Amino acid sequence: MNLINFKNPYKFDLDKNGLPTFSKKNTLFMQAIIDNDSNYSNDREESFSKQFSYFPKDLDDLEKAIKLIDKENSTHIYVNGWFDKLTSYLDEYGIENLVNDIESGNQEIVNTVSTIGGSNHFSFATKFCAYCNRSCFKKDDYSIYDSVLENILPYYAFVYLGKEDEKGEKLWNSIKNSKVRKLYYNKYKDYHKLVGDIIDNAKIINDNQDLTRKDFDNILWYYYKGRNDRQIKAKECL
């Protein structure tokens, strides 16, 4: 892969298509933005990290954590009374069991949380597990699923893995035909492996052995969120 490495520290290193790579400089640049840009540092995961450096100690604390994740990500947890179903289930499941699952990176808990009460809250479940695992236990066992990742993963899967679906078609999706959603939504182990495979190859190609799942999430979310022009550019490269 041909990489474009800018000497300018304020620009992302890009691949041959003019889209960001996962170079060491890019991960450091991204972290600098998180640390210094108030528009970013007060958003998403950073807000959670500031308030929850420890795992919620009781149900009230857990409810605050869940509400904060929803506030920062608009995950629609109140639709059809799901918030009450979620907290009731987790209360019965037990904080200690939840701690053991998330600290150990148990992948099954993502699908369990997502489908409580027969619902479908996969994005929230991935964020809940990832935020708690990273902020409370300083680990990096989970990958986040959201609309930005859903829309842009096909480009990076194809570039780094040559990944195609079972029909031999590229994974790119439109809003009405989301192949990533079809293949990986509520199938967390498969999604986790897809992202992990991309990261493993990116570490080699970009000479960045320190690349984490959090770095991967942050670079793609920051660069592509709200930028349909950039998402379209990625689509057109396939």
Side-chain angles (χ1 to χ4, degrees), residues 28 56 101 141 209:
L28 292 174
D101 283 338
D141 296 319
Q209 292 302 312

Side-chain angles (χ1 to χ4, degrees), residues 118-132:
S119 296
N120 225 339
H121 289 268
F122 190 55
S123 179
F124 168 82
T126 64
K127 292 181 174 74
F128 175 73
C129 293
Y131 288 11
C132 290

Side-chain angles (χ1 to χ4, degrees), residues 110-159:
V110 177
N111 290 333
T112 297
V113 170
S114 173
T115 57
I116 287 170
S119 296
N120 225 339
H121 289 268
F122 190 55
S123 179
F124 168 82
T126 64
K127 292 181 174 74
F128 175 73
C129 293
Y131 288 11
C132 290
N133 180 265
R134 295 169 184 174
S135 298
C136 307
F137 304 115
K138 312 307 178 191
K139 302 180 76 173
D140 188 58
D141 296 319
Y142 294 97
S143 288
I144 287 172
Y145 184 103
D146 60 23
S147 60
V148 174
L149 273 296
E150 180 181 297
N151 286 333
I152 204 62
L153 263 183
Y155 174 78
Y156 288 93
F158 195 74
V159 167

